Short mmCIF file of all heavy atoms in Angstrom, two decimals:
data_model
loop_
_atom_site.label_atom_id
_atom_site.label_comp_id
_atom_site.label_asym_id
_atom_site.label_seq_id
_atom_site.Cartn_x
_atom_site.Cartn_y
_atom_site.Cartn_z
N ASP R 1 100.51 69.91 101.64
CA ASP R 1 101.31 70.95 101.06
C ASP R 1 101.32 72.26 101.82
O ASP R 1 102.23 73.08 101.60
CB ASP R 1 100.89 71.20 99.59
CG ASP R 1 101.13 70.04 98.70
OD1 ASP R 1 102.17 69.32 98.88
OD2 ASP R 1 100.32 69.76 97.79
N PRO R 2 100.31 72.58 102.63
CA PRO R 2 100.32 73.88 103.31
C PRO R 2 101.56 74.02 104.17
O PRO R 2 101.95 73.17 104.89
CB PRO R 2 99.08 73.88 104.14
CG PRO R 2 98.15 72.94 103.46
CD PRO R 2 99.04 71.87 102.87
N ALA R 3 102.17 75.21 104.03
CA ALA R 3 103.38 75.52 104.79
C ALA R 3 103.78 76.95 104.44
O ALA R 3 103.20 77.60 103.56
CB ALA R 3 104.52 74.55 104.40
N VAL R 4 104.83 77.42 105.14
CA VAL R 4 105.52 78.63 104.68
C VAL R 4 106.55 78.14 103.70
O VAL R 4 107.39 77.27 104.02
CB VAL R 4 106.15 79.36 105.84
CG1 VAL R 4 106.96 80.55 105.36
CG2 VAL R 4 105.07 79.85 106.82
N TYR R 5 106.54 78.70 102.52
CA TYR R 5 107.49 78.39 101.47
C TYR R 5 108.57 79.44 101.40
O TYR R 5 108.27 80.64 101.41
CB TYR R 5 106.77 78.24 100.13
CG TYR R 5 106.01 76.96 99.99
CD1 TYR R 5 104.89 76.69 100.71
CD2 TYR R 5 106.49 75.99 99.07
CE1 TYR R 5 104.22 75.46 100.62
CE2 TYR R 5 105.81 74.78 98.94
CZ TYR R 5 104.68 74.51 99.70
OH TYR R 5 103.99 73.32 99.56
N TYR R 6 109.81 78.98 101.29
CA TYR R 6 110.98 79.83 101.28
C TYR R 6 111.75 79.65 100.02
O TYR R 6 111.98 78.51 99.59
CB TYR R 6 111.92 79.55 102.46
CG TYR R 6 111.32 79.80 103.80
CD1 TYR R 6 110.61 78.82 104.46
CD2 TYR R 6 111.47 81.05 104.44
CE1 TYR R 6 110.08 79.04 105.74
CE2 TYR R 6 110.94 81.26 105.69
CZ TYR R 6 110.26 80.29 106.35
OH TYR R 6 109.73 80.50 107.59
N CYS R 7 112.22 80.72 99.40
CA CYS R 7 113.15 80.68 98.35
C CYS R 7 114.53 80.81 98.93
O CYS R 7 114.76 81.58 99.88
CB CYS R 7 112.88 81.91 97.39
SG CYS R 7 114.05 82.04 96.04
N ALA R 8 115.48 79.98 98.45
CA ALA R 8 116.84 79.99 98.96
C ALA R 8 117.84 79.89 97.80
O ALA R 8 117.55 79.31 96.78
CB ALA R 8 117.04 78.82 99.89
N ALA R 9 118.99 80.47 98.02
CA ALA R 9 120.06 80.49 96.99
C ALA R 9 121.40 80.21 97.50
O ALA R 9 121.69 80.51 98.67
CB ALA R 9 120.04 81.83 96.27
N GLU R 10 122.23 79.53 96.68
CA GLU R 10 123.63 79.28 97.03
C GLU R 10 124.47 79.33 95.76
O GLU R 10 124.06 78.89 94.74
CB GLU R 10 123.80 77.89 97.68
CG GLU R 10 125.23 77.60 98.17
CD GLU R 10 125.70 78.66 99.14
OE1 GLU R 10 125.45 78.49 100.38
OE2 GLU R 10 126.34 79.62 98.70
N SER R 11 125.62 79.95 95.91
CA SER R 11 126.54 80.05 94.81
C SER R 11 126.96 78.71 94.26
O SER R 11 127.24 77.77 94.99
CB SER R 11 127.81 80.87 95.23
OG SER R 11 128.74 80.86 94.18
N LEU R 12 127.05 78.63 92.94
CA LEU R 12 127.56 77.43 92.29
C LEU R 12 128.90 77.04 92.77
O LEU R 12 129.29 75.82 92.78
CB LEU R 12 127.53 77.56 90.80
CG LEU R 12 126.19 77.40 90.04
CD1 LEU R 12 126.37 77.77 88.59
CD2 LEU R 12 125.68 75.95 90.19
N THR R 13 129.72 77.98 93.14
CA THR R 13 131.07 77.71 93.57
C THR R 13 131.10 76.89 94.84
O THR R 13 132.13 76.31 95.20
CB THR R 13 131.86 79.01 93.77
OG1 THR R 13 131.30 79.79 94.80
CG2 THR R 13 131.89 79.85 92.53
N LEU R 14 130.01 76.85 95.61
CA LEU R 14 129.92 76.13 96.85
C LEU R 14 129.10 74.87 96.73
O LEU R 14 128.85 74.19 97.73
CB LEU R 14 129.38 77.03 97.93
CG LEU R 14 130.17 78.29 98.25
CD1 LEU R 14 129.49 79.11 99.31
CD2 LEU R 14 131.58 77.93 98.68
N VAL R 15 128.65 74.52 95.53
CA VAL R 15 127.86 73.35 95.29
C VAL R 15 128.80 72.25 94.78
O VAL R 15 129.58 72.44 93.88
CB VAL R 15 126.77 73.61 94.28
CG1 VAL R 15 125.99 72.32 93.94
CG2 VAL R 15 125.81 74.67 94.80
N ASP R 16 128.63 71.05 95.39
CA ASP R 16 129.51 69.92 95.00
C ASP R 16 129.34 69.59 93.55
O ASP R 16 128.26 69.61 93.01
CB ASP R 16 129.17 68.70 95.86
CG ASP R 16 129.59 68.82 97.31
OD1 ASP R 16 130.43 69.72 97.59
OD2 ASP R 16 129.11 68.06 98.15
N TYR R 17 130.47 69.25 92.92
CA TYR R 17 130.44 68.85 91.51
C TYR R 17 129.56 67.61 91.35
O TYR R 17 129.57 66.68 92.13
CB TYR R 17 131.86 68.55 91.06
CG TYR R 17 131.92 68.09 89.63
CD1 TYR R 17 131.96 69.01 88.61
CD2 TYR R 17 131.98 66.74 89.29
CE1 TYR R 17 132.01 68.63 87.28
CE2 TYR R 17 132.02 66.30 87.97
CZ TYR R 17 132.08 67.29 86.99
OH TYR R 17 132.13 66.86 85.65
N GLY R 18 128.72 67.68 90.30
CA GLY R 18 127.84 66.56 89.98
C GLY R 18 126.49 66.65 90.65
O GLY R 18 125.60 65.86 90.34
N HIS R 19 126.28 67.57 91.53
CA HIS R 19 125.01 67.75 92.17
C HIS R 19 124.19 68.85 91.50
O HIS R 19 124.75 69.84 91.09
CB HIS R 19 125.21 68.17 93.65
CG HIS R 19 125.66 67.05 94.54
ND1 HIS R 19 126.79 66.31 94.33
CD2 HIS R 19 125.07 66.50 95.70
CE1 HIS R 19 126.95 65.41 95.25
NE2 HIS R 19 125.97 65.50 96.09
N ILE R 20 122.92 68.63 91.35
CA ILE R 20 122.06 69.67 90.83
C ILE R 20 121.96 70.78 91.86
O ILE R 20 122.18 71.96 91.57
CB ILE R 20 120.67 69.14 90.48
CG1 ILE R 20 120.77 68.11 89.39
CG2 ILE R 20 119.73 70.24 90.13
CD1 ILE R 20 119.47 67.37 89.07
N CYS R 21 121.58 70.36 93.09
CA CYS R 21 121.49 71.31 94.19
C CYS R 21 121.81 70.62 95.46
O CYS R 21 121.64 69.39 95.60
CB CYS R 21 120.07 71.82 94.31
SG CYS R 21 119.42 72.80 92.94
N PRO R 22 122.27 71.35 96.47
CA PRO R 22 122.29 70.76 97.81
C PRO R 22 120.89 70.62 98.32
O PRO R 22 119.99 71.31 97.87
CB PRO R 22 123.13 71.77 98.63
CG PRO R 22 122.93 73.10 97.88
CD PRO R 22 122.75 72.72 96.44
N HIS R 23 120.70 69.72 99.28
CA HIS R 23 119.35 69.48 99.82
C HIS R 23 119.22 69.89 101.26
O HIS R 23 118.08 69.89 101.75
CB HIS R 23 119.02 67.99 99.65
CG HIS R 23 119.10 67.54 98.23
ND1 HIS R 23 118.46 68.18 97.22
CD2 HIS R 23 119.71 66.44 97.69
CE1 HIS R 23 118.70 67.53 96.07
NE2 HIS R 23 119.44 66.49 96.33
N ARG R 24 120.32 70.22 101.92
CA ARG R 24 120.23 70.60 103.33
C ARG R 24 119.96 72.11 103.43
O ARG R 24 120.52 72.92 102.70
CB ARG R 24 121.53 70.29 104.02
CG ARG R 24 121.84 68.78 104.10
CD ARG R 24 123.20 68.61 104.70
NE ARG R 24 124.24 69.24 103.90
CZ ARG R 24 125.44 69.52 104.26
NH1 ARG R 24 125.83 69.21 105.51
NH2 ARG R 24 126.30 70.14 103.46
N THR R 25 119.15 72.46 104.43
CA THR R 25 118.87 73.86 104.69
C THR R 25 120.19 74.61 104.95
O THR R 25 120.37 75.73 104.45
CB THR R 25 117.98 73.96 105.93
OG1 THR R 25 116.74 73.35 105.66
CG2 THR R 25 117.72 75.47 106.25
N SER R 26 121.12 73.97 105.68
CA SER R 26 122.35 74.64 106.05
C SER R 26 123.26 74.92 104.89
O SER R 26 124.20 75.69 105.00
CB SER R 26 123.10 73.79 107.08
OG SER R 26 123.42 72.54 106.56
N ALA R 27 123.00 74.30 103.73
CA ALA R 27 123.84 74.51 102.56
C ALA R 27 123.51 75.76 101.80
O ALA R 27 124.25 76.11 100.86
CB ALA R 27 123.78 73.28 101.67
N PHE R 28 122.39 76.39 102.11
CA PHE R 28 121.96 77.58 101.42
C PHE R 28 122.27 78.81 102.25
O PHE R 28 121.84 78.88 103.43
CB PHE R 28 120.49 77.47 101.09
CG PHE R 28 120.18 76.54 99.95
CD1 PHE R 28 120.08 75.18 100.18
CD2 PHE R 28 119.98 77.02 98.67
CE1 PHE R 28 119.83 74.31 99.14
CE2 PHE R 28 119.67 76.16 97.65
CZ PHE R 28 119.63 74.81 97.87
N SER R 29 122.90 79.78 101.67
CA SER R 29 123.33 80.94 102.43
C SER R 29 122.33 82.05 102.41
O SER R 29 122.35 82.89 103.34
CB SER R 29 124.65 81.45 101.84
OG SER R 29 125.71 80.53 101.92
N TYR R 30 121.42 82.09 101.42
CA TYR R 30 120.55 83.24 101.29
C TYR R 30 119.11 82.77 101.22
O TYR R 30 118.81 81.82 100.55
CB TYR R 30 120.92 84.04 100.04
CG TYR R 30 122.36 84.45 100.03
CD1 TYR R 30 123.31 83.72 99.28
CD2 TYR R 30 122.82 85.56 100.79
CE1 TYR R 30 124.62 84.07 99.29
CE2 TYR R 30 124.13 85.91 100.77
CZ TYR R 30 125.06 85.16 100.02
OH TYR R 30 126.39 85.48 100.05
N TRP R 31 118.27 83.52 101.94
CA TRP R 31 116.84 83.09 102.09
C TRP R 31 115.92 84.26 101.95
O TRP R 31 116.23 85.38 102.32
CB TRP R 31 116.66 82.46 103.46
CG TRP R 31 117.38 81.16 103.65
CD1 TRP R 31 118.66 80.97 104.04
CD2 TRP R 31 116.81 79.86 103.48
NE1 TRP R 31 118.93 79.65 104.05
CE2 TRP R 31 117.84 78.94 103.74
CE3 TRP R 31 115.53 79.42 103.13
CZ2 TRP R 31 117.61 77.57 103.67
CZ3 TRP R 31 115.35 78.01 103.07
CH2 TRP R 31 116.39 77.14 103.30
N GLY R 32 114.80 83.99 101.33
CA GLY R 32 113.71 84.94 101.33
C GLY R 32 112.98 84.96 102.66
O GLY R 32 113.33 84.19 103.60
N GLN R 33 111.98 85.78 102.78
CA GLN R 33 111.28 85.94 104.07
C GLN R 33 110.22 84.85 104.33
O GLN R 33 109.74 84.74 105.45
CB GLN R 33 110.63 87.32 104.13
CG GLN R 33 109.31 87.46 103.32
CD GLN R 33 109.47 87.56 101.83
OE1 GLN R 33 110.60 87.60 101.34
NE2 GLN R 33 108.39 87.63 101.10
N GLY R 34 109.90 84.11 103.28
CA GLY R 34 108.87 83.11 103.37
C GLY R 34 107.50 83.60 102.99
O GLY R 34 107.19 84.81 103.20
N ILE R 35 106.69 82.76 102.42
CA ILE R 35 105.34 83.11 102.06
C ILE R 35 104.41 81.96 102.36
O ILE R 35 104.74 80.82 102.15
CB ILE R 35 105.30 83.48 100.52
CG1 ILE R 35 103.94 84.11 100.16
CG2 ILE R 35 105.65 82.33 99.64
CD1 ILE R 35 103.99 84.84 98.85
N GLN R 36 103.22 82.28 102.84
CA GLN R 36 102.29 81.30 103.29
C GLN R 36 101.49 80.69 102.11
O GLN R 36 101.00 81.38 101.28
CB GLN R 36 101.30 81.88 104.33
CG GLN R 36 100.30 80.94 104.86
CD GLN R 36 100.90 79.88 105.79
OE1 GLN R 36 101.63 80.25 106.73
NE2 GLN R 36 100.61 78.61 105.54
N VAL R 37 101.39 79.37 102.15
CA VAL R 37 100.53 78.64 101.23
C VAL R 37 99.57 77.87 102.09
O VAL R 37 99.92 77.04 102.91
CB VAL R 37 101.29 77.69 100.31
CG1 VAL R 37 100.36 76.80 99.54
CG2 VAL R 37 102.17 78.50 99.38
N THR R 38 98.27 78.10 101.87
CA THR R 38 97.24 77.46 102.62
C THR R 38 96.33 76.65 101.71
O THR R 38 95.90 77.18 100.67
CB THR R 38 96.41 78.46 103.41
OG1 THR R 38 97.27 79.22 104.29
CG2 THR R 38 95.33 77.78 104.25
N VAL R 39 96.02 75.45 102.04
CA VAL R 39 95.13 74.59 101.30
C VAL R 39 93.95 74.26 102.22
O VAL R 39 94.10 73.60 103.21
CB VAL R 39 95.80 73.31 100.80
CG1 VAL R 39 94.81 72.47 100.00
CG2 VAL R 39 97.05 73.67 99.98
N SER R 40 92.78 74.68 101.80
CA SER R 40 91.60 74.52 102.65
C SER R 40 90.36 74.50 101.79
O SER R 40 90.25 75.24 100.79
CB SER R 40 91.52 75.66 103.67
OG SER R 40 90.37 75.51 104.48
N PRO R 41 89.38 73.68 102.17
CA PRO R 41 88.10 73.65 101.43
C PRO R 41 87.40 74.98 101.50
O PRO R 41 87.52 75.76 102.48
CB PRO R 41 87.31 72.56 102.16
CG PRO R 41 88.31 71.74 102.84
CD PRO R 41 89.41 72.67 103.27
#
């Protein structure tokens, strides 16, 4: 699970009908800066 985690957003008007969300990075227009999650003993 460790990684940089990003929040991303896309307008519903650009999401295909019947889909909960797009899954491709390129389908999201807006992104946060990312935040580090580290898992370590």
Side-chain angles (χ1 to χ4, degrees):
D1 294 323
V4 175
Y5 281 70
Y6 297 88
C7 177
E10 184 58 88
S11 173
L12 281 172
T13 64
L14 300 178
V15 176
D16 289 344
Y17 180 82
H19 287 57
I20 297 173
C21 297
H23 302 310
R24 296 173 300 164
T25 299
S26 61
F28 287 80
S29 297
Y30 306 99
W31 294 83
Q33 78 284 357
I35 189 165
Q36 180 71 50
V37 171
T38 302
V39 181
S40 179

